[in-house]
């Protein structure tokens, strides 16, 4: 009897045990989240999350919108004196890398595995846009080793030159694989699933980057415009939808709108109000709101002390216009007006053929049209000597008008102001940079702790990790 | 020869046979306690030198057969063993002395096995029911504080919050470091759910009614707890509940009633010289910037000298601007705890039974906060046949709260935020009518805050937890030496929370409503076989083998109406926006097989072996089975070498080695894609910011422990010294990585952490007299040294973030003590002098620095207790030495000018320097009477920061007090608010009286006991100003940070215990 029983028990035990193994494995299947992802959901998320960062508090309201003197602070004015909060700096970096680079790298991969090159192209274009914003803002950044956690736990920082050149190549590649006729995409709230729109957006970014590096690397800039011409100058036109995200009602409201629901910390900067007034610019009534107590637009000086700012009074100073503070206000990523300003400058620099002055005026008209201003008042405006294009000082003409046109696009305006050095801005009243203005953001402190050696190498190459260090493209 | 041996083995049997033939007599009697004359049930009465024995019944009565020349041995847990020669006595009443002798102690060890303490190769400390129930802490964890060497307890917030307990330091870098709680052999949950929701919910073990506890045994670390497996590396707290057997004297009814009052132990020391405003100016119009600095929520305003200024209550009229020194204090109320319980218990041949009911009603020190707990317990043992016993335990707990205090300094639900950003002139009593006629709130400030009474009364969070704890155990005695046990136990609770934020709350104009529901369960089924045999006369063997199946489930449903459509209606249907909802379900299973053996030699040398194998669902196939053994030994030298004497009553050596494996949380293998709130009609999925690990291996903690126990002078001096050393490797850490990898965190499996330490307990009985006076001193000392050895295998990572507040982080930092406080520091020159900026403010170093460690260097306590004829008095002093705390309360309060410490330099009286301002620069004046050129205003609040300029000159730039304190205590400079967290606290004073049994009997009662208890009475010493150094945000590992805490409390209680 016993002899029979021992093998029997062994068999039972083995069956029981393998049953247990299966049971254990089944138990550890996560029932809460999928293990695979479909591209349209990922695209929708990537656009929403990254435009939120691009238009949100950390990258704009508390930093670039103040530096570029579109906005000023009337409460908690520390950031307006060039003391950015470490959390703001950290959030911009983390959000763009961990949400943007990660999501769009995955989307590009899905394009390959699902044999839909359009998704791959969109993934690459969005990722390139994010890298461009990051390098504009910080200078040298992890690029070639970024977003590859399996290979690189501590990615090296690439020089800004390498980043821009890499982006130009990636964008060119992305444009080449787009096939507007087939492989439709979904979930695109930036360009409404229009692959031609994506092609134009990518080409627009190529032209933007080309000008960004034009002072440093004129040959490369020239090559980009030559390529674009060879590809047929397929760029945004007046009738195209621009690259913009139309926000919805709560909880998907515009970040500025969301801020205004509960806070009252910001006003329009005195610098931009004064400039618009001086130019009799009809955009004043759009960019600025009337104060509760007065019938005149009053901007606030950047960098006031807490008590002098608060003494100006909430009801006696202008907030930014409702077009920007509305719940459903759009966030602009790339506008037709900007494309025209780029072409104007490219023409001026002989990177393309064309009449720079004419393109400059078209750019201003496009900006006016963006805010619904058309007709005689545009002509009157353009006829002013103060607006007329000055080919001898094109950086001033384009710099000042582009600054006005990019109002509220803090990141792009901050980059272009640094490159063109116009308009000439006076540092914040109690700025802490010894009479200088910020020329970049500092790296987040997490990089010191988590990617220390590469951080140190980047700082050694680029210069001290302070706001006043010039990034590579900022030659003058 | 063989024949002779066998014969010798039979000899004891033959002798017994011979004895049993001799003349037997029946001896009866009662066993009582000498200290309080209480009858002792369950005392063991044995005929010395034989295996014959009996137990006293619930009335303490016994009856045994013996012979005239026999000696009876009386023993009971906690009493000295006493002998009596039978002689011609037919009645032997014996009263037993309380025991000093640790040797005789029987303690509850792993799996609820009772063992003689002398047989154990590791340190174990036990608390008895009296220590726990009289302390009247509503959170059980607090009752352990200061009573056990090496145990550290940290309270979070006020008197309703959570408490964290850690034994022998942290063994896991990232995981749970709190011990496992086991109630009658079944693990019970001690989670703190809802961390980060702005409320400090009490940890779940606080559901246990202290009156139901018979004993708590603290198994410190792997050596003692290896049999519990995965969760034993942080130690185990083994709770034994009372049964009918514990009822003294037959069927007993015990009524217990207590009342405790809780008052603030500490409140920041506020200044009362300057009121709200900035730059010395303030005038109220609308409280949000319409007037002169009336949106400002700081106290850098005008002097509180009765000058006339419009204020929030004066409708624009200028009224005297005066101090209200107790404005914050007056907002707090006295909390009370009413505790009423009843238990009925008894025991007979077939049945032990105990039923208890307890009602605890506790109110907080913040208005309109409190919790009510009802506990029902039934504990029964049925002796179905002499061999088959069924024990059941069922405990139902209902905890209900209408409102719990808000924490984290959130504007919507926390009042501590606005009291540290405050106008010192604000008369809080004028805020009591908090609502205007139109339903909006009436307050001193409308820029940032709602009225504090509004917060307490309108923005409430309710909680309802229904919990069932139960187990059933079937025990069958197969042979005299072999027992089989089957036990099934469960801990199940549902916890529903409702968060209300009212319409018109500042920052949330439409209010919000959230429901958060949890269902948590753990079920354990366990089968064990236990064999006990004597091998020859020298060896005792006790072997146990068993299997356990554990299954855990956790469920959460969270739904929020982010903006209400209609005010004052709190339902999820009432929403302007789509609901925000998440649901989460996690499940976990662990199969285990285990075995343990104890071999004893001549009752003075013991070897214990354990082995366990776990199969956990949380680890991948191939790595999910892990085995770990332990061995320990003890040798009672005093007995082995026969050197026991009056002077050396005990000498025992012990030592052991143990290993414990630990699994992880569910779903840590495969990366998944989290959902985000849909964008209109577009669903959103994102790449997770955590990169998981499909090759996870179990964490392994290896621990060595040696110790010595000694008793001197008839055990009037008792010393126990332990040294331990543990090392944990393969630690599973969700480590922060550079976000440039595309992820914020990566799950690593390579962390290593070591701990070593010494624990000393010293017991002294300096005086004990025949008349019954006794003085006991118990000293505990523990020192733990931790070191983070490694984080990732490649050495890229130097820091793991345990917690943070603003810039301040708590780290496990490679090569350092666990719990480094890492933050922004003063910039210093090569001579370590603080540098200043061009404007004279201190310069901040761009690199963060380690500013201290939250882990203390050592902890200790001393308890003195005096007893005399039913009276007892004890006081417990408790200390932690050498840790640090970053205090956000101090940092903020200095910057906002509300703290008394900001008076220094603020005016001429307080040492301020004279200066005037010209062209944005402060120019010093020679004295306070000097006039400034051009008629500029002379100011008297100048301070010069004690530092050096970059070119090595002593700083001479003068700052206004406001600028000075804002710069030094800015949120971007942490160093100024890091303090030494050492303290010495008078933890507990207890006075008790047991009315003599003789008197009580006349009243028809069994026993009456009254006690007065004071807890957390005061600091004898501390170095952290304005706050309790013993606080934290929650029970996680990110300790050592404090900001805007609800102050801790001191309590005074009265307890009455009557048995019928």
């Amino acid at each position: 009897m016993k002899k029979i029983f021992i093998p029997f028990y062994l068999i039972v035990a083995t069956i029981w045990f393998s049953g247990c193994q299966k049971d254990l494995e089944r138990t550890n299947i996560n029932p809460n989240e999928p293990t695979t992802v479909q591209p349209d959901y990922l695209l929708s998320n990537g656009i929403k999350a990254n435009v939120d960062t691009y238009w949100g508090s950390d990258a704009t309201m508390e930093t670039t919108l103040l530096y570029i003197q579109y906005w000023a602070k009337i409460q908690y004015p520390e950031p307006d004196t060039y003391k950015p909060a470490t959390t703001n700096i950290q959030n911009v970096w983390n959000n763009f890398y961990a949400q943007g680079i990660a999501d769009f790298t995955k989307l590009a991969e899905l394009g390959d595995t699902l044999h839909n090159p359009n998704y791959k192209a969109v993934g690459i274009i969005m990722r390139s846009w994010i890298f461009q914003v990051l390098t504009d803002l910080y200078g040298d950044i992890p690029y070639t080793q970024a977003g590859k956690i399996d290979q690189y736990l501590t990615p090296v920082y690439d020089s800004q030159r390498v980043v821009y050149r890499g982006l130009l190549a990636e964008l060119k590649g992305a444009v080449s694989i787009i096939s507007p006729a087939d492989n439709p995409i979904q979930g695109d709230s930036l360009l409404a699933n229009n692959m031609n729109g994506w092609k134009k957006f990518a080409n627009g970014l190529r032209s933007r980057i080309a000008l960004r590096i034009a002072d440093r690397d004129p040959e490369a800039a020239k090559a980009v415009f030559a390529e674009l011409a060879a590809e047929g100058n397929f760029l945004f036109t007046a009738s195209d939808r621009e690259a913009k995200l139309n926000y919805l009602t709560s909880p998907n409201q515009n970040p500025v709108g969301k801020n205004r629901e509960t806070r009252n910390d910001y006003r329009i900067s005195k610098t931009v109000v004064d400039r618009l007034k001086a130019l009799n610019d009809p955009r004043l009534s759009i960019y600025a709101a009337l104060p509760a107590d007065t019938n005149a637009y009053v901007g606030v000086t950047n960098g006031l002390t807490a008590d002098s700012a608060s003494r100006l009074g909430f009801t006696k100073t202008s907030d930014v216009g409702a077009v920007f503070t509305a719940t459903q206000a759009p966030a602009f990523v790339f506008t037709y007006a900007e494309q025209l300003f780029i072409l104007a400058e490219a023409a001026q620099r002989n990177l393309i053929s064309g009449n720079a002055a004419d393109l400059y005026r078209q750019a201003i008209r496009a900006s006016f049209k963006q805010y619904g201003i058309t007709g005689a008042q545009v002509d009157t405006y353009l006829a002013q000597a103060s607006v007329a294009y000055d080919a001898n000082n094109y950086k001033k003409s384009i710099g000042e008008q582009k600054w006005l046109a990019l109002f509220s696009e803090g990141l792009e305006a901050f980059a272009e102001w640094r490159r063109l050095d116009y308009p000439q801005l006076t540092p914040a009243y109690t700025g802490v940079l010894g009479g200088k203005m910020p020329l970049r953001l500092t790296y987040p402190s997490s990089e010191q702790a988590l990617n220390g050696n590469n951080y140190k190498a980047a700082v050694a190459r680029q210069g001290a990790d302070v706001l006043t260090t010039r990034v590579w493209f900022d030659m003058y | 020869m063989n024949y002779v041996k066998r014969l010798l083995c039979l000899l004891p049997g033959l002798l017994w046979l011979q004895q049993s033939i001799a003349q037997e007599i029946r001896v009866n009697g009662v066993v009582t306690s000498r200290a309080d004359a209480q009858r002792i049930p369950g005392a063991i009465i044995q005929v010395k030198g034989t295996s014959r024995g009996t137990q006293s019944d619930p009335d303490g009565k016994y009856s045994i057969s013996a012979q005239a020349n026999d000696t009876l041995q009386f023993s009971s847990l906690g009493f000295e063993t006493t002998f009596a020669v039978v002689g011609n006595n037919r009645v032997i009443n014996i009263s037993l002395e309380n025991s000093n002798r640790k040797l005789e102690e029987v303690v509850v060890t792993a799996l609820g096995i009772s063992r003689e303490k002398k047989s154990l190769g590791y340190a174990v400390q036990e608390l008895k029911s009296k220590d726990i129930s009289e302390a009247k802490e509503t959170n059980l964890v607090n009752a352990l504080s200061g009573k056990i060497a090496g145990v550290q307890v940290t309270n979070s917030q006020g008197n309703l919050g959570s408490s964290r307990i850690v034994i022998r330091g942290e063994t896991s870098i990232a995981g749970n470091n709190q011990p496992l709680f086991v109630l009658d052999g079944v693990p019970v949950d001690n989670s703190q759910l809802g961390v980060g929701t702005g409320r400090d919910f009490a940890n779940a073990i606080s559901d246990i009614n202290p009156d139901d506890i018979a004993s708590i045994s603290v198994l410190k670390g792997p050596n003692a707890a290896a049999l519990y497996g995965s969760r034993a590396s942080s130690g185990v707290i083994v709770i034994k509940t009372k049964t009918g057997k514990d009822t003294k004297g037959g069927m007993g009814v015990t009524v217990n009633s207590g009342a405790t009052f809780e008052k603030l132990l500490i409140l920041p020391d506020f200044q009362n010289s300057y009121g709200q405003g900035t730059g010395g100016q303030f005038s109220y119009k609308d409280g949000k910037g319409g007037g002169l600095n009336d949106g400002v929520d700081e106290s850098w305003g005008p002097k509180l000298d009765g000058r006339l200024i419009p204020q929030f209550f004066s409708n624009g009229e200028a009224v005297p601007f005066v101090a209200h020194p107790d404005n914050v204090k007056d907002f707090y109320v006295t909390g009370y705890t009413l505790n009423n319980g009843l238990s009925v218990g008894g025991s007979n041949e077939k049945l032990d039974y105990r039923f208890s009911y307890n009602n605890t009603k506790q109110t907080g020190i913040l208005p309109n906060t409190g919790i009510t707990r009802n506990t029902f317990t039934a504990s029964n043992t049925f002796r179905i046949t002499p061999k088959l016993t069924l024990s059941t335990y069922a405990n139902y707990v209902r905890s209900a709260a209408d409102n719990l205090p808000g924490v984290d300094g959130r504007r919507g639900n926390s009042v501590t935020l606005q009291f540290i950003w405050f106008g010192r002139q604000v008369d809080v009593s004028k805020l009591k009518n908090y609502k205007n006629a139109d339903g909006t709130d009436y307050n001193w400030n409308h820029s940032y805050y709602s009225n504090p009474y509004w917060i307490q009364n309108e923005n409430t969070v309710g909680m309802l937890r229904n919990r069932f704890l139960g187990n059933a155990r079937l025990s069958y005695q197969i042979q005299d030496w072999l027992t089989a046990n089957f036990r099934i136990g469960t801990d199940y609770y549902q916890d529903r929370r409702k968060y209300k934020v009212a319409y018109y709350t500042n920052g949330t104009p439409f209010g919000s409503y959230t429901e958060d529901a949890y269902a948590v369960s753990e079920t354990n089924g366990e089968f064990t076989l236990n064999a006990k045999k004597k091998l020859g006369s020298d060896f005792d063997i006790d072997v146990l083998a068993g299997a356990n199946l554990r299954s855990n489930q956790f469920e959460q449903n969270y739904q929020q109406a982010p903006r209400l459509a209609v005010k004052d209606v709190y339902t999820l249907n009432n929403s302007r926006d789509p609901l925000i909802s998440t649901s989460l379900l996690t499940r976990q299973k662990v199969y285990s097989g285990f075995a343990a053996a104890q071999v004893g030699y001549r009752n003075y040398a013991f070897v214990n072996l354990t082995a366990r194998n776990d199969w956990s669902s949380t680890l991948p196939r191939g790595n999910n089975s892990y085995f770990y053994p332990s061995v320990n030994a003890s040798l009672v030298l005093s007995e082995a070498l026969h050197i026991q004497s009056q002077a050396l009553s005990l000498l025992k050596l012990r030592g052991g080695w143990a290993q414990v494996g630990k699994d992880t949380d569910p779903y840590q293998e495969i990366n998944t894609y989290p959902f985000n709130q849909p964008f209109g009609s577009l669903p959103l999925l994102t790449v997770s910011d955590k990169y998981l690990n499909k090759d996870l291996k179990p964490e392994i903690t290896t621990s060595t422990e040696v110790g010595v126990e000694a008793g001197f002078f008839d055990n009037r001096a008792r010393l126990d010294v332990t040294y331990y050393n543990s090392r944990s490797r393969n630690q599973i850490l969700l480590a922060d990585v550079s976000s440039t990898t595309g992820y914020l965190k990566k799950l690593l499996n390579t962390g290593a952490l070591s701990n070593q330490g010494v624990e000393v307990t010293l017991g002294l009985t300096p005086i004990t007299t025949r008349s019954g006076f006794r003085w006991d001193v118990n000293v505990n000392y523990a020192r733990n040294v931790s070191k983070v050895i490694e984080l990732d295998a490649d050495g890229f990572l130097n820091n793991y973030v345990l917690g943070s507040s603003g810039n301040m982080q708590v780290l496990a930092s490679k090569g350092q003590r666990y719990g480094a406080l890492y933050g922004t520091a003063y910039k210093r020159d090569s001579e370590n002098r603080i540098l200043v900026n061009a404007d004279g403010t201190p310069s901040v170093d761009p690199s963060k620095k380690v500013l201290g460690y939250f882990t203390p260097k050592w902890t200790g306590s001393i308890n003195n207790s005096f007893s005399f004829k039913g009276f007892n008095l004890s006081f417990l002093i408790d200390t932690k030495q050498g840790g640090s705390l970053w205090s956000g309360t101090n940092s903020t309060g200095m910057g906002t000018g509300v703290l008394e410490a900001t008076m220094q330099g603020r005016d001429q009286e307080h040492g301020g320097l004279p200066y005037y301002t010209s062209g944005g620069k402060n120019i010093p004046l020679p004295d306070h009477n000097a006039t400034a050129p051009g008629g500029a205003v002379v100011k008297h609040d100048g301070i010069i920061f004690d530092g050096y300029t970059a070119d090595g000159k002593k700083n001479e730039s003068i700052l206004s007090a406001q600028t000075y304190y804002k710069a030094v205590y800015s949120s971007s400079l942490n160093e100024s608010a890091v303090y030494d967290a050492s303290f010495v606290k008078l933890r507990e004073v207890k006075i008790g009286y047991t009315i003599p049994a003789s008197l009580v009997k006349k009243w028809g009662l069994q026993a009456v006991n009254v006690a007065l208890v004071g807890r957390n009475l005061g600091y004898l010493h501390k170095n952290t100003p304005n706050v309790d150094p013993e606080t934290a945000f929650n029970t996680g590992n990110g300790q050592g940070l404090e900001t805007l805490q609800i102050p801790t409390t001191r309590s005074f209680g009265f307890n009455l215990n009557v048995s019928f």
Side-chain angles (χ1 to χ4, degrees), chain B residues 650-936:
Chain B
L650 165 69
L651 183 62
K652 173 187 155 184
L653 300 179
R654 54 183 153 78
W657 176 90
Q659 204 171 58
V660 172
K662 189 174 189 175
D663 58 356
T664 183
D665 297 328
Y667 319 139
Q668 303 298 308
E669 292 174 52
I670 312 288
N671 290 314
T672 55
Y673 296 88
F675 294 94
N676 279 328
Q677 186 86 349
F679 186 67
S681 60
L682 302 175
L684 307 185
L685 277 177
T686 182
V687 174
S688 169
D689 54 16
K690 301 178 188 75
Y691 193 77
L692 304 179
N693 189 333
K694 55 187 187 305
D695 304 314
L696 284 177
K697 298 187 295 282
E699 294 186 357
I700 300 288
T701 302
T702 309
S703 167
T704 310
E705 178 179 328
V706 292
V708 56
E709 283 165 52
F712 306 97
F713 311 114
D714 206 13
N715 263 333
R716 286 178 63 171
R718 304 165 296 275
L719 180 69
D720 187 327
V721 181
T722 307
Y723 166 82
Y724 61 88
N725 181 333
S726 79
R727 190 179 161 125
S728 308
R729 62 189 162 86
N730 295 350
Q731 292 237 330
I732 298 170
L733 315 171
L734 192 57
D736 284 358
V737 292
S738 166
S739 57
T740 62
T741 59
Y743 293 85
L744 298 180
K745 288 166 187 296
K746 182 177 180 187
L747 196 68
L748 301 174
N749 198 187
T750 47
L753 177 71
S754 76
N755 275 281
Q756 54 179 322
V758 177
E759 284 158 7
V760 180
T761 64
L762 174 67
L764 294 171
T765 309
I767 300 173
T768 169
T769 67
R770 280 274 154 212
S771 59
F773 178 76
R774 188 181 163 109
W775 173 25
D776 284 300
V777 183
N778 276 298
V779 181
N780 285 319
Y781 167 88
R783 184 186 178 91
N784 182 67
V785 183
S786 60
K787 189 175 177 186
V788 179
I789 298 167
E790 185 172 290
L791 293 172
D792 69 316
D794 301 322
F796 286 131
L797 296 181
N798 289 314
N799 297 310
Y800 175 81
V801 181
L802 303 168
S804 64
S805 176
N807 282 321
M808 196 67 209
Q809 293 176 310
V810 188
L811 302 178
S813 204
K814 195 166 148 180
Q816 300 196 35
R817 217 160 111 190
Y818 188 82
L821 302 181
Y822 188 66
T824 46
Y826 293 113
K827 192 171 180 179
R828 290 181 157 87
D829 64 11
S830 53
E831 292 171 56
N832 208 31
R833 299 180 304 196
I834 297 174
L835 292 172
V836 295
N837 298 317
D839 63 358
T841 57
S843 194
V844 180
D845 197 315
S847 310
K848 288 200 203 175
K849 284 186 183 155
V850 172
L851 304 170
Y853 300 86
F854 79 72
T855 37
K857 287 207 165 120
W858 62 271
T859 59
S861 67
I862 177 162
N863 188 53
N864 279 279
S865 70
F866 306 90
S867 58
F868 180 66
K869 297 199 167 167
F871 282 99
N872 60 71
L873 163 69
S874 69
F875 56 95
L876 172 66
I877 293 166
D878 187 9
T879 183
K880 252 185 230 178
Q881 293 289 329
S884 295
L885 175 78
W886 174 79
S887 168
T889 299
N890 277 291
S891 181
T892 306
M894 294 300 283
T896 60
V898 301
L899 294 177
E900 174 65 23
T902 63
M903 285 310 297
Q904 203 191 337
R906 215 161 155 174
D907 47 32
Q908 190 178 344
E909 288 169 62
H910 293 92
L913 303 171
Y915 67 99
Y916 68 97
T917 307
S918 168
K921 288 226 166 3
N922 294 334
I923 298 159
L925 288 168
D927 60 74
H928 287 284
N929 300 322
T931 50

Side-chain angles (χ1 to χ4, degrees), chain B residues 105-154:
Chain B
E105 262 183 64
V106 171
V107 290
V108 181
T109 68
L111 300 179
I113 303 161
S114 293
R115 287 260 193 261
E116 269 187 281
K117 196 179 175 193
K118 72 173 174 187
S119 73
L120 302 176
Y122 47 79
V124 58
Q125 266 179 288
E126 201 171 51
L127 288 182
K128 298 292 180 204
S129 115
K130 217 170 145 68
D131 302 324
I132 305 148
S133 62
E134 276 183 1
K136 275 290 166 279
E137 279 283 356
T138 44
N139 195 335
L140 181 60
V141 167
N142 292 345
L144 298 173
S145 144
K147 291 177 182 162
I148 307 271
V151 167
Q152 286 177 47
V153 174
T154 319

